[in-house]
Amino acid sequence: MALKNRKTECNPMDWEQFLLLADRMKKSNDYKFLLLISIGCYCGLRLSDILQIKWIDILGIDYFEISERKTGKHRKITINTGLRDIINFCYGNLKLRRNINADDNVFINRLGVVISKQYVNRRLHHFFQKYKVKVQNGSSHTVRKTFGKRVYEMNDRSEAALILLSSIFNHQSVSVTR
């Protein structure tokens, strides 16, 4: 947690760490947070945007569209097969536990209210410790940075990769992305 008027930087996970974390969460029945972390790592969304997703937005489709809360910018996100499999797996298991409607938000508490950012960050700290994920200052932003690191590495750490990420993240400039 940052001190007042100070910023704390978090680091990304290695992709292999994310895959191992996802596998462990699957085996431990941590479906809601498996899905949250996976959407963040596969799509690079901010937590505020992840929390607004409804089941109807992500079930049985190849892409979904979102209006970013922070910037107001529109973004179209492709759902690759890895993420689609996780969505279907989590939906199937969560549906067994409670009654889920397609119009429901994905990330709600037992009272049907969207979970808070503070709760998400507390739970992520718990999961990072529980599964021994080596990440400095891990938080909800870690998953967005993990996506960025993955795209950057898959594109040979090039300037073109930074330009692509700048576009995906809707950053004002490549220097913000860097």
Side-chain angles (χ1 to χ4, degrees), residues 13 17-18 20-38 94 97 107 115 118-135 138-140 142-143:
M13 292 181 278
Q17 270 187 312
F18 158 65
L20 186 60
L21 174 63
D23 188 53
R24 288 177 176 166
M25 292 180 85
K26 235 184 227 188
K27 291 175 181 169
S28 296
N29 304 330
D30 295 316
Y31 307 121
K32 188 187 315 182
F33 277 87
L34 165 62
L35 185 55
L36 186 140
I37 290 169
S38 297
L94 288 170
R97 291 183 177 179
F107 303 103
I115 58 179
Q118 294 82 5
Y119 175 73
V120 170
N121 282 314
R122 278 195 313 271
R123 294 299 294 160
L124 289 177
H125 283 285
H126 164 78
F127 288 122
F128 292 155
Q129 283 184 324
K130 178 179 178 181
Y131 298 117
K132 296 176 177 44
V133 175
K134 291 183 174 92
V135 61
S139 70
S140 59
T142 296
V143 296

mmCIF file of all heavy atoms in Angstrom, residues 13 17-18 20-38 94 97 107 115 118-135 138-140 142-143:
data_model
loop_
_atom_site.group_PDB
_atom_site.id
_atom_site.type_symbol
_atom_site.label_atom_id
_atom_site.label_comp_id
_atom_site.label_asym_id
_atom_site.label_seq_id
_atom_site.Cartn_x
_atom_site.Cartn_y
_atom_site.Cartn_z
ATOM 1 N N MET A 13 4.126 -10.410 -13.445
ATOM 2 C CA MET A 13 4.531 -11.803 -13.269
ATOM 3 C C MET A 13 5.148 -12.265 -14.581
ATOM 4 O O MET A 13 4.840 -11.723 -15.647
ATOM 5 C CB MET A 13 3.308 -12.694 -13.015
ATOM 6 C CG MET A 13 2.612 -12.491 -11.717
ATOM 7 S SD MET A 13 1.207 -13.638 -11.527
ATOM 8 C CE MET A 13 -0.058 -12.779 -12.462
ATOM 9 N N GLN A 17 4.776 -18.015 -14.527
ATOM 10 C CA GLN A 17 4.240 -17.858 -13.173
ATOM 11 C C GLN A 17 2.725 -17.737 -13.217
ATOM 12 O O GLN A 17 2.026 -18.322 -12.397
ATOM 13 C CB GLN A 17 4.795 -16.592 -12.512
ATOM 14 C CG GLN A 17 6.056 -16.764 -11.741
ATOM 15 C CD GLN A 17 6.385 -15.487 -11.004
ATOM 16 O OE1 GLN A 17 6.352 -14.393 -11.564
ATOM 17 N NE2 GLN A 17 6.704 -15.619 -9.735
ATOM 18 N N PHE A 18 2.231 -16.945 -14.171
ATOM 19 C CA PHE A 18 0.784 -16.794 -14.310
ATOM 20 C C PHE A 18 0.131 -18.138 -14.615
ATOM 21 O O PHE A 18 -0.880 -18.496 -14.006
ATOM 22 C CB PHE A 18 0.434 -15.775 -15.402
ATOM 23 C CG PHE A 18 -0.950 -15.959 -15.954
ATOM 24 C CD1 PHE A 18 -2.071 -15.766 -15.147
ATOM 25 C CD2 PHE A 18 -1.149 -16.361 -17.258
ATOM 26 C CE1 PHE A 18 -3.352 -15.957 -15.647
ATOM 27 C CE2 PHE A 18 -2.417 -16.566 -17.762
ATOM 28 C CZ PHE A 18 -3.527 -16.356 -16.952
ATOM 29 N N LEU A 20 1.187 -21.144 -13.977
ATOM 30 C CA LEU A 20 1.275 -21.993 -12.783
ATOM 31 C C LEU A 20 0.252 -21.555 -11.734
ATOM 32 O O LEU A 20 -0.436 -22.387 -11.130
ATOM 33 C CB LEU A 20 2.697 -21.941 -12.217
ATOM 34 C CG LEU A 20 3.020 -22.876 -11.063
ATOM 35 C CD1 LEU A 20 2.823 -24.330 -11.478
ATOM 36 C CD2 LEU A 20 4.458 -22.660 -10.607
ATOM 37 N N LEU A 21 0.135 -20.254 -11.528
ATOM 38 C CA LEU A 21 -0.852 -19.710 -10.596
ATOM 39 C C LEU A 21 -2.262 -20.115 -11.025
ATOM 40 O O LEU A 21 -3.065 -20.575 -10.208
ATOM 41 C CB LEU A 21 -0.735 -18.185 -10.525
ATOM 42 C CG LEU A 21 -1.796 -17.443 -9.711
ATOM 43 C CD1 LEU A 21 -1.735 -17.833 -8.241
ATOM 44 C CD2 LEU A 21 -1.622 -15.932 -9.876
ATOM 45 N N ALA A 22 -2.569 -19.967 -12.310
ATOM 46 C CA ALA A 22 -3.897 -20.326 -12.834
ATOM 47 C C ALA A 22 -4.182 -21.806 -12.601
ATOM 48 O O ALA A 22 -5.285 -22.174 -12.181
ATOM 49 C CB ALA A 22 -3.993 -19.973 -14.310
ATOM 50 N N ASP A 23 -3.194 -22.642 -12.843
ATOM 51 C CA ASP A 23 -3.369 -24.082 -12.657
ATOM 52 C C ASP A 23 -3.640 -24.408 -11.182
ATOM 53 O O ASP A 23 -4.525 -25.203 -10.861
ATOM 54 C CB ASP A 23 -2.129 -24.826 -13.158
ATOM 55 C CG ASP A 23 -2.326 -26.323 -13.159
ATOM 56 O OD1 ASP A 23 -3.316 -26.797 -13.750
ATOM 57 O OD2 ASP A 23 -1.483 -27.028 -12.551
ATOM 58 N N ARG A 24 -2.904 -23.777 -10.282
ATOM 59 C CA ARG A 24 -3.099 -24.019 -8.849
ATOM 60 C C ARG A 24 -4.459 -23.519 -8.378
ATOM 61 O O ARG A 24 -5.108 -24.153 -7.549
ATOM 62 C CB ARG A 24 -1.984 -23.347 -8.050
ATOM 63 C CG ARG A 24 -0.651 -24.049 -8.209
ATOM 64 C CD ARG A 24 0.437 -23.328 -7.486
ATOM 65 N NE ARG A 24 1.690 -24.066 -7.569
ATOM 66 C CZ ARG A 24 2.854 -23.546 -7.251
ATOM 67 N NH1 ARG A 24 2.939 -22.295 -6.826
ATOM 68 N NH2 ARG A 24 3.955 -24.260 -7.343
ATOM 69 N N MET A 25 -4.887 -22.376 -8.896
ATOM 70 C CA MET A 25 -6.188 -21.825 -8.513
ATOM 71 C C MET A 25 -7.320 -22.721 -9.014
ATOM 72 O O MET A 25 -8.336 -22.871 -8.340
ATOM 73 C CB MET A 25 -6.335 -20.398 -9.034
ATOM 74 C CG MET A 25 -5.388 -19.424 -8.350
ATOM 75 S SD MET A 25 -5.551 -17.754 -8.939
ATOM 76 C CE MET A 25 -6.898 -17.207 -7.886
ATOM 77 N N LYS A 26 -7.137 -23.303 -10.200
ATOM 78 C CA LYS A 26 -8.126 -24.246 -10.744
ATOM 79 C C LYS A 26 -8.293 -25.428 -9.802
ATOM 80 O O LYS A 26 -9.406 -25.827 -9.473
ATOM 81 C CB LYS A 26 -7.622 -24.765 -12.099
ATOM 82 C CG LYS A 26 -8.559 -24.589 -13.233
ATOM 83 C CD LYS A 26 -7.969 -25.232 -14.465
ATOM 84 C CE LYS A 26 -8.085 -24.302 -15.626
ATOM 85 N NZ LYS A 26 -7.706 -24.907 -16.888
ATOM 86 N N LYS A 27 -7.176 -25.982 -9.374
ATOM 87 C CA LYS A 27 -7.196 -27.157 -8.503
ATOM 88 C C LYS A 27 -7.751 -26.855 -7.116
ATOM 89 O O LYS A 27 -8.272 -27.731 -6.449
ATOM 90 C CB LYS A 27 -5.791 -27.749 -8.390
ATOM 91 C CG LYS A 27 -5.320 -28.384 -9.690
ATOM 92 C CD LYS A 27 -3.894 -28.860 -9.599
ATOM 93 C CE LYS A 27 -3.453 -29.454 -10.929
ATOM 94 N NZ LYS A 27 -2.018 -29.709 -10.984
ATOM 95 N N SER A 28 -7.636 -25.589 -6.693
ATOM 96 C CA SER A 28 -8.109 -25.188 -5.361
ATOM 97 C C SER A 28 -9.517 -24.598 -5.394
ATOM 98 O O SER A 28 -9.977 -24.070 -4.376
ATOM 99 C CB SER A 28 -7.149 -24.161 -4.755
ATOM 100 O OG SER A 28 -5.889 -24.732 -4.549
ATOM 101 N N ASN A 29 -10.157 -24.635 -6.547
ATOM 102 C CA ASN A 29 -11.529 -24.134 -6.697
ATOM 103 C C ASN A 29 -11.668 -22.631 -6.455
ATOM 104 O O ASN A 29 -12.715 -22.165 -6.004
ATOM 105 C CB ASN A 29 -12.500 -24.892 -5.793
ATOM 106 C CG ASN A 29 -12.466 -26.381 -6.024
ATOM 107 O OD1 ASN A 29 -12.197 -26.842 -7.129
ATOM 108 N ND2 ASN A 29 -12.721 -27.148 -4.992
ATOM 109 N N ASP A 30 -10.633 -21.861 -6.750
ATOM 110 C CA ASP A 30 -10.672 -20.404 -6.612
ATOM 111 C C ASP A 30 -11.117 -19.794 -7.939
ATOM 112 O O ASP A 30 -10.402 -19.011 -8.568
ATOM 113 C CB ASP A 30 -9.284 -19.871 -6.215
ATOM 114 C CG ASP A 30 -8.861 -20.336 -4.843
ATOM 115 O OD1 ASP A 30 -9.703 -20.297 -3.931
ATOM 116 O OD2 ASP A 30 -7.693 -20.741 -4.681
ATOM 117 N N TYR A 31 -12.329 -20.139 -8.364
ATOM 118 C CA TYR A 31 -12.786 -19.834 -9.720
ATOM 119 C C TYR A 31 -12.945 -18.348 -10.003
ATOM 120 O O TYR A 31 -12.561 -17.874 -11.071
ATOM 121 C CB TYR A 31 -14.110 -20.543 -10.009
ATOM 122 C CG TYR A 31 -14.060 -22.024 -9.748
ATOM 123 C CD1 TYR A 31 -14.924 -22.613 -8.825
ATOM 124 C CD2 TYR A 31 -13.142 -22.839 -10.397
ATOM 125 C CE1 TYR A 31 -14.882 -23.973 -8.576
ATOM 126 C CE2 TYR A 31 -13.088 -24.200 -10.141
ATOM 127 C CZ TYR A 31 -13.960 -24.758 -9.234
ATOM 128 O OH TYR A 31 -13.905 -26.097 -8.982
ATOM 129 N N LYS A 32 -13.519 -17.601 -9.068
ATOM 130 C CA LYS A 32 -13.770 -16.179 -9.312
ATOM 131 C C LYS A 32 -12.459 -15.426 -9.539
ATOM 132 O O LYS A 32 -12.326 -14.647 -10.477
ATOM 133 C CB LYS A 32 -14.532 -15.564 -8.139
ATOM 134 C CG LYS A 32 -14.991 -14.151 -8.411
ATOM 135 C CD LYS A 32 -15.603 -13.458 -7.215
ATOM 136 C CE LYS A 32 -16.564 -14.274 -6.434
ATOM 137 N NZ LYS A 32 -17.181 -13.549 -5.312
ATOM 138 N N PHE A 33 -11.470 -15.692 -8.691
ATOM 139 C CA PHE A 33 -10.208 -14.969 -8.829
ATOM 140 C C PHE A 33 -9.334 -15.548 -9.948
ATOM 141 O O PHE A 33 -8.529 -14.834 -10.529
ATOM 142 C CB PHE A 33 -9.477 -14.869 -7.491
ATOM 143 C CG PHE A 33 -10.001 -13.718 -6.686
ATOM 144 C CD1 PHE A 33 -11.103 -13.881 -5.864
ATOM 145 C CD2 PHE A 33 -9.439 -12.457 -6.801
ATOM 146 C CE1 PHE A 33 -11.628 -12.815 -5.150
ATOM 147 C CE2 PHE A 33 -9.953 -11.386 -6.096
ATOM 148 C CZ PHE A 33 -11.051 -11.560 -5.265
ATOM 149 N N LEU A 34 -9.507 -16.812 -10.248
ATOM 150 C CA LEU A 34 -8.856 -17.384 -11.439
ATOM 151 C C LEU A 34 -9.326 -16.624 -12.666
ATOM 152 O O LEU A 34 -8.512 -16.213 -13.506
ATOM 153 C CB LEU A 34 -9.194 -18.874 -11.580
ATOM 154 C CG LEU A 34 -8.892 -19.518 -12.942
ATOM 155 C CD1 LEU A 34 -7.407 -19.466 -13.257
ATOM 156 C CD2 LEU A 34 -9.421 -20.945 -12.980
ATOM 157 N N LEU A 35 -10.620 -16.383 -12.767
ATOM 158 C CA LEU A 35 -11.173 -15.670 -13.909
ATOM 159 C C LEU A 35 -10.724 -14.214 -13.924
ATOM 160 O O LEU A 35 -10.335 -13.688 -14.975
ATOM 161 C CB LEU A 35 -12.702 -15.764 -13.889
ATOM 162 C CG LEU A 35 -13.426 -15.173 -15.089
ATOM 163 C CD1 LEU A 35 -12.938 -15.770 -16.400
ATOM 164 C CD2 LEU A 35 -14.926 -15.386 -14.943
ATOM 165 N N LEU A 36 -10.722 -13.566 -12.779
ATOM 166 C CA LEU A 36 -10.304 -12.163 -12.704
ATOM 167 C C LEU A 36 -8.849 -12.002 -13.146
ATOM 168 O O LEU A 36 -8.533 -11.161 -13.986
ATOM 169 C CB LEU A 36 -10.487 -11.645 -11.275
ATOM 170 C CG LEU A 36 -10.230 -10.160 -11.085
ATOM 171 C CD1 LEU A 36 -11.249 -9.571 -10.124
ATOM 172 C CD2 LEU A 36 -8.837 -9.908 -10.552
ATOM 173 N N ILE A 37 -7.978 -12.832 -12.607
ATOM 174 C CA ILE A 37 -6.559 -12.757 -12.959
ATOM 175 C C ILE A 37 -6.358 -13.099 -14.433
ATOM 176 O O ILE A 37 -5.579 -12.444 -15.130
ATOM 177 C CB ILE A 37 -5.736 -13.687 -12.051
ATOM 178 C CG1 ILE A 37 -5.695 -13.126 -10.626
ATOM 179 C CG2 ILE A 37 -4.316 -13.881 -12.588
ATOM 180 C CD1 ILE A 37 -5.140 -14.083 -9.583
ATOM 181 N N SER A 38 -7.081 -14.076 -14.930
ATOM 182 C CA SER A 38 -6.941 -14.491 -16.330
ATOM 183 C C SER A 38 -7.405 -13.402 -17.291
ATOM 184 O O SER A 38 -6.735 -13.132 -18.290
ATOM 185 C CB SER A 38 -7.723 -15.781 -16.586
ATOM 186 O OG SER A 38 -7.198 -16.826 -15.810
ATOM 187 N N LEU A 94 -18.907 -22.114 -11.199
ATOM 188 C CA LEU A 94 -19.601 -21.125 -10.374
ATOM 189 C C LEU A 94 -21.118 -21.294 -10.472
ATOM 190 O O LEU A 94 -21.834 -21.065 -9.502
ATOM 191 C CB LEU A 94 -19.195 -19.702 -10.777
ATOM 192 C CG LEU A 94 -17.779 -19.294 -10.386
ATOM 193 C CD1 LEU A 94 -17.389 -17.978 -11.046
ATOM 194 C CD2 LEU A 94 -17.641 -19.191 -8.872
ATOM 195 N N ARG A 97 -22.495 -23.610 -7.945
ATOM 196 C CA ARG A 97 -22.526 -23.102 -6.574
ATOM 197 C C ARG A 97 -23.697 -22.164 -6.308
ATOM 198 O O ARG A 97 -24.175 -22.063 -5.193
ATOM 199 C CB ARG A 97 -21.237 -22.345 -6.262
ATOM 200 C CG ARG A 97 -20.030 -23.227 -6.175
ATOM 201 C CD ARG A 97 -18.856 -22.377 -5.792
ATOM 202 N NE ARG A 97 -17.667 -23.177 -5.625
ATOM 203 C CZ ARG A 97 -16.502 -22.659 -5.305
ATOM 204 N NH1 ARG A 97 -16.368 -21.372 -5.131
ATOM 205 N NH2 ARG A 97 -15.451 -23.436 -5.165
ATOM 206 N N PHE A 107 -18.144 -10.448 -11.229
ATOM 207 C CA PHE A 107 -17.400 -10.357 -9.971
ATOM 208 C C PHE A 107 -18.243 -9.695 -8.884
ATOM 209 O O PHE A 107 -18.083 -8.518 -8.579
ATOM 210 C CB PHE A 107 -16.077 -9.639 -10.206
ATOM 211 C CG PHE A 107 -15.259 -10.315 -11.255
ATOM 212 C CD1 PHE A 107 -15.171 -9.795 -12.541
ATOM 213 C CD2 PHE A 107 -14.619 -11.515 -10.981
ATOM 214 C CE1 PHE A 107 -14.443 -10.451 -13.518
ATOM 215 C CE2 PHE A 107 -13.898 -12.175 -11.957
ATOM 216 C CZ PHE A 107 -13.806 -11.636 -13.232
ATOM 217 N N ILE A 115 -17.711 -6.616 -6.260
ATOM 218 C CA ILE A 115 -16.654 -6.564 -5.245
ATOM 219 C C ILE A 115 -15.823 -5.291 -5.406
ATOM 220 O O ILE A 115 -15.752 -4.706 -6.481
ATOM 221 C CB ILE A 115 -15.761 -7.830 -5.297
ATOM 222 C CG1 ILE A 115 -15.120 -8.009 -6.672
ATOM 223 C CG2 ILE A 115 -16.554 -9.056 -4.903
ATOM 224 C CD1 ILE A 115 -14.202 -9.213 -6.789
ATOM 225 N N GLN A 118 -10.441 -2.702 -3.164
ATOM 226 C CA GLN A 118 -9.690 -3.004 -1.947
ATOM 227 C C GLN A 118 -9.768 -4.501 -1.627
ATOM 228 O O GLN A 118 -8.757 -5.116 -1.273
ATOM 229 C CB GLN A 118 -10.217 -2.185 -0.759
ATOM 230 C CG GLN A 118 -9.987 -0.703 -0.884
ATOM 231 C CD GLN A 118 -11.027 0.006 -1.753
ATOM 232 O OE1 GLN A 118 -12.009 -0.587 -2.209
ATOM 233 N NE2 GLN A 118 -10.798 1.276 -2.014
ATOM 234 N N TYR A 119 -10.960 -5.068 -1.763
ATOM 235 C CA TYR A 119 -11.136 -6.498 -1.525
ATOM 236 C C TYR A 119 -10.304 -7.308 -2.515
ATOM 237 O O TYR A 119 -9.628 -8.267 -2.131
ATOM 238 C CB TYR A 119 -12.615 -6.874 -1.620
ATOM 239 C CG TYR A 119 -12.863 -8.358 -1.496
ATOM 240 C CD1 TYR A 119 -12.743 -8.993 -0.262
ATOM 241 C CD2 TYR A 119 -13.199 -9.120 -2.606
ATOM 242 C CE1 TYR A 119 -12.960 -10.360 -0.135
ATOM 243 C CE2 TYR A 119 -13.418 -10.486 -2.497
ATOM 244 C CZ TYR A 119 -13.297 -11.103 -1.269
ATOM 245 O OH TYR A 119 -13.491 -12.457 -1.156
ATOM 246 N N VAL A 120 -10.347 -6.919 -3.780
ATOM 247 C CA VAL A 120 -9.571 -7.623 -4.812
ATOM 248 C C VAL A 120 -8.093 -7.591 -4.460
ATOM 249 O O VAL A 120 -7.416 -8.624 -4.501
ATOM 250 C CB VAL A 120 -9.809 -7.017 -6.211
ATOM 251 C CG1 VAL A 120 -8.823 -7.583 -7.226
ATOM 252 C CG2 VAL A 120 -11.247 -7.259 -6.665
ATOM 253 N N ASN A 121 -7.577 -6.434 -4.092
ATOM 254 C CA ASN A 121 -6.154 -6.334 -3.775
ATOM 255 C C ASN A 121 -5.772 -7.155 -2.542
ATOM 256 O O ASN A 121 -4.721 -7.793 -2.524
ATOM 257 C CB ASN A 121 -5.723 -4.878 -3.637
ATOM 258 C CG ASN A 121 -5.533 -4.224 -4.980
ATOM 259 O OD1 ASN A 121 -4.908 -4.796 -5.877
ATOM 260 N ND2 ASN A 121 -6.087 -3.045 -5.154
ATOM 261 N N ARG A 122 -6.630 -7.176 -1.534
ATOM 262 C CA ARG A 122 -6.363 -8.025 -0.355
ATOM 263 C C ARG A 122 -6.312 -9.497 -0.756
ATOM 264 O O ARG A 122 -5.422 -10.239 -0.332
ATOM 265 C CB ARG A 122 -7.442 -7.815 0.720
ATOM 266 C CG ARG A 122 -7.223 -6.615 1.592
ATOM 267 C CD ARG A 122 -8.081 -6.651 2.846
ATOM 268 N NE ARG A 122 -9.480 -6.987 2.646
ATOM 269 C CZ ARG A 122 -10.455 -6.109 2.391
ATOM 270 N NH1 ARG A 122 -10.162 -4.823 2.304
ATOM 271 N NH2 ARG A 122 -11.692 -6.517 2.228
ATOM 272 N N ARG A 123 -7.277 -9.927 -1.565
ATOM 273 C CA ARG A 123 -7.326 -11.328 -1.998
ATOM 274 C C ARG A 123 -6.142 -11.669 -2.897
ATOM 275 O O ARG A 123 -5.574 -12.766 -2.786
ATOM 276 C CB ARG A 123 -8.637 -11.627 -2.722
ATOM 277 C CG ARG A 123 -9.864 -11.537 -1.852
ATOM 278 C CD ARG A 123 -9.870 -12.521 -0.698
ATOM 279 N NE ARG A 123 -9.960 -13.872 -1.218
ATOM 280 C CZ ARG A 123 -9.611 -14.965 -0.546
ATOM 281 N NH1 ARG A 123 -9.145 -14.874 0.675
ATOM 282 N NH2 ARG A 123 -9.726 -16.153 -1.089
ATOM 283 N N LEU A 124 -5.755 -10.754 -3.771
ATOM 284 C CA LEU A 124 -4.596 -11.015 -4.631
ATOM 285 C C LEU A 124 -3.336 -11.173 -3.801
ATOM 286 O O LEU A 124 -2.526 -12.067 -4.066
ATOM 287 C CB LEU A 124 -4.425 -9.917 -5.680
ATOM 288 C CG LEU A 124 -5.472 -9.904 -6.789
ATOM 289 C CD1 LEU A 124 -5.225 -8.724 -7.719
ATOM 290 C CD2 LEU A 124 -5.481 -11.207 -7.572
ATOM 291 N N HIS A 125 -3.148 -10.327 -2.783
ATOM 292 C CA HIS A 125 -1.994 -10.488 -1.876
ATOM 293 C C HIS A 125 -2.022 -11.870 -1.246
ATOM 294 O O HIS A 125 -0.993 -12.543 -1.150
ATOM 295 C CB HIS A 125 -1.992 -9.409 -0.788
ATOM 296 C CG HIS A 125 -1.531 -8.077 -1.248
ATOM 297 N ND1 HIS A 125 -0.210 -7.785 -1.480
ATOM 298 C CD2 HIS A 125 -2.216 -6.948 -1.534
ATOM 299 C CE1 HIS A 125 -0.101 -6.535 -1.877
ATOM 300 N NE2 HIS A 125 -1.300 -6.000 -1.929
ATOM 301 N N HIS A 126 -3.209 -12.286 -0.820
ATOM 302 C CA HIS A 126 -3.373 -13.610 -0.218
ATOM 303 C C HIS A 126 -2.966 -14.703 -1.204
ATOM 304 O O HIS A 126 -2.199 -15.615 -0.857
ATOM 305 C CB HIS A 126 -4.822 -13.800 0.231
ATOM 306 C CG HIS A 126 -5.180 -15.223 0.516
ATOM 307 N ND1 HIS A 126 -4.811 -15.865 1.688
ATOM 308 C CD2 HIS A 126 -5.856 -16.138 -0.226
ATOM 309 C CE1 HIS A 126 -5.252 -17.111 1.649
ATOM 310 N NE2 HIS A 126 -5.895 -17.311 0.506
ATOM 311 N N PHE A 127 -3.474 -14.622 -2.439
ATOM 312 C CA PHE A 127 -3.168 -15.658 -3.430
ATOM 313 C C PHE A 127 -1.692 -15.657 -3.818
ATOM 314 O O PHE A 127 -1.091 -16.709 -3.996
ATOM 315 C CB PHE A 127 -4.041 -15.502 -4.678
ATOM 316 C CG PHE A 127 -5.471 -15.880 -4.449
ATOM 317 C CD1 PHE A 127 -6.490 -14.975 -4.682
ATOM 318 C CD2 PHE A 127 -5.813 -17.146 -3.977
ATOM 319 C CE1 PHE A 127 -7.810 -15.312 -4.466
ATOM 320 C CE2 PHE A 127 -7.142 -17.494 -3.757
ATOM 321 C CZ PHE A 127 -8.143 -16.576 -4.001
ATOM 322 N N PHE A 128 -1.102 -14.483 -3.949
ATOM 323 C CA PHE A 128 0.322 -14.420 -4.295
ATOM 324 C C PHE A 128 1.172 -15.059 -3.196
ATOM 325 O O PHE A 128 2.145 -15.749 -3.482
ATOM 326 C CB PHE A 128 0.775 -12.978 -4.549
ATOM 327 C CG PHE A 128 0.198 -12.345 -5.788
ATOM 328 C CD1 PHE A 128 0.078 -10.974 -5.896
ATOM 329 C CD2 PHE A 128 -0.219 -13.115 -6.867
ATOM 330 C CE1 PHE A 128 -0.441 -10.383 -7.037
ATOM 331 C CE2 PHE A 128 -0.749 -12.546 -8.016
ATOM 332 C CZ PHE A 128 -0.852 -11.166 -8.097
ATOM 333 N N GLN A 129 0.791 -14.854 -1.941
ATOM 334 C CA GLN A 129 1.508 -15.493 -0.835
ATOM 335 C C GLN A 129 1.227 -16.993 -0.791
ATOM 336 O O GLN A 129 2.140 -17.800 -0.670
ATOM 337 C CB GLN A 129 1.123 -14.859 0.497
ATOM 338 C CG GLN A 129 1.780 -13.540 0.751
ATOM 339 C CD GLN A 129 1.447 -13.012 2.130
ATOM 340 O OE1 GLN A 129 0.339 -13.194 2.641
ATOM 341 N NE2 GLN A 129 2.419 -12.339 2.740
ATOM 342 N N LYS A 130 -0.038 -17.355 -0.876
ATOM 343 C CA LYS A 130 -0.445 -18.755 -0.775
ATOM 344 C C LYS A 130 0.239 -19.612 -1.839
ATOM 345 O O LYS A 130 0.694 -20.719 -1.560
ATOM 346 C CB LYS A 130 -1.966 -18.848 -0.932
ATOM 347 C CG LYS A 130 -2.524 -20.259 -0.897
ATOM 348 C CD LYS A 130 -4.046 -20.245 -1.047
ATOM 349 C CE LYS A 130 -4.612 -21.647 -1.057
ATOM 350 N NZ LYS A 130 -6.081 -21.643 -1.214
ATOM 351 N N TYR A 131 0.317 -19.108 -3.060
ATOM 352 C CA TYR A 131 0.873 -19.881 -4.164
ATOM 353 C C TYR A 131 2.321 -19.500 -4.477
ATOM 354 O O TYR A 131 2.856 -19.882 -5.507
ATOM 355 C CB TYR A 131 -0.008 -19.737 -5.405
ATOM 356 C CG TYR A 131 -1.403 -20.273 -5.169
ATOM 357 C CD1 TYR A 131 -2.507 -19.440 -5.230
ATOM 358 C CD2 TYR A 131 -1.608 -21.612 -4.849
ATOM 359 C CE1 TYR A 131 -3.784 -19.928 -5.006
ATOM 360 C CE2 TYR A 131 -2.887 -22.109 -4.614
ATOM 361 C CZ TYR A 131 -3.965 -21.259 -4.697
ATOM 362 O OH TYR A 131 -5.232 -21.747 -4.468
ATOM 363 N N LYS A 132 2.933 -18.716 -3.572
ATOM 364 C CA LYS A 132 4.347 -18.353 -3.655
ATOM 365 C C LYS A 132 4.723 -17.731 -5.012
ATOM 366 O O LYS A 132 5.720 -18.091 -5.634
ATOM 367 C CB LYS A 132 5.224 -19.566 -3.361
ATOM 368 C CG LYS A 132 5.055 -20.070 -1.938
ATOM 369 C CD LYS A 132 5.854 -21.315 -1.680
ATOM 370 C CE LYS A 132 5.787 -21.821 -0.277
ATOM 371 N NZ LYS A 132 4.562 -21.879 0.420
ATOM 372 N N VAL A 133 3.896 -16.777 -5.444
ATOM 373 C CA VAL A 133 4.166 -16.037 -6.676
ATOM 374 C C VAL A 133 5.175 -14.952 -6.338
ATOM 375 O O VAL A 133 4.949 -14.142 -5.442
ATOM 376 C CB VAL A 133 2.875 -15.413 -7.254
ATOM 377 C CG1 VAL A 133 3.178 -14.554 -8.461
ATOM 378 C CG2 VAL A 133 1.882 -16.514 -7.612
ATOM 379 N N LYS A 134 6.281 -14.957 -7.052
ATOM 380 C CA LYS A 134 7.337 -13.979 -6.802
ATOM 381 C C LYS A 134 7.051 -12.726 -7.613
ATOM 382 O O LYS A 134 7.332 -12.656 -8.809
ATOM 383 C CB LYS A 134 8.694 -14.565 -7.168
ATOM 384 C CG LYS A 134 9.118 -15.675 -6.239
ATOM 385 C CD LYS A 134 10.503 -16.186 -6.575
ATOM 386 C CE LYS A 134 10.958 -17.174 -5.543
ATOM 387 N NZ LYS A 134 10.664 -18.536 -5.844
ATOM 388 N N VAL A 135 6.450 -11.748 -6.938
ATOM 389 C CA VAL A 135 6.145 -10.469 -7.571
ATOM 390 C C VAL A 135 6.257 -9.383 -6.505
ATOM 391 O O VAL A 135 5.748 -9.535 -5.399
ATOM 392 C CB VAL A 135 4.747 -10.481 -8.247
ATOM 393 C CG1 VAL A 135 3.656 -10.734 -7.243
ATOM 394 C CG2 VAL A 135 4.497 -9.229 -9.023
ATOM 395 N N GLY A 138 2.779 -6.873 -5.460
ATOM 396 C CA GLY A 138 1.690 -7.409 -6.275
ATOM 397 C C GLY A 138 0.358 -6.757 -5.951
ATOM 398 O O GLY A 138 0.033 -6.522 -4.794
ATOM 399 N N SER A 139 -0.387 -6.426 -6.987
ATOM 400 C CA SER A 139 -1.700 -5.814 -6.829
ATOM 401 C C SER A 139 -2.517 -6.108 -8.075
ATOM 402 O O SER A 139 -2.070 -6.844 -8.962
ATOM 403 C CB SER A 139 -1.562 -4.300 -6.644
ATOM 404 O OG SER A 139 -1.147 -3.697 -7.852
ATOM 405 N N SER A 140 -3.684 -5.508 -8.156
ATOM 406 C CA SER A 140 -4.528 -5.709 -9.335
ATOM 407 C C SER A 140 -3.841 -5.209 -10.606
ATOM 408 O O SER A 140 -4.094 -5.719 -11.693
ATOM 409 C CB SER A 140 -5.867 -5.005 -9.148
ATOM 410 O OG SER A 140 -5.677 -3.620 -8.931
ATOM 411 N N THR A 142 -0.812 -5.646 -11.316
ATOM 412 C CA THR A 142 0.161 -6.670 -11.709
ATOM 413 C C THR A 142 -0.330 -7.444 -12.934
ATOM 414 O O THR A 142 0.456 -7.757 -13.823
ATOM 415 C CB THR A 142 0.428 -7.636 -10.537
ATOM 416 O OG1 THR A 142 1.026 -6.895 -9.476
ATOM 417 C CG2 THR A 142 1.330 -8.783 -10.943
ATOM 418 N N VAL A 143 -1.639 -7.737 -12.980
ATOM 419 C CA VAL A 143 -2.147 -8.531 -14.104
ATOM 420 C C VAL A 143 -2.100 -7.744 -15.407
ATOM 421 O O VAL A 143 -1.800 -8.292 -16.467
ATOM 422 C CB VAL A 143 -3.556 -9.108 -13.826
ATOM 423 C CG1 VAL A 143 -3.507 -10.095 -12.669
ATOM 424 C CG2 VAL A 143 -4.583 -8.036 -13.572
#
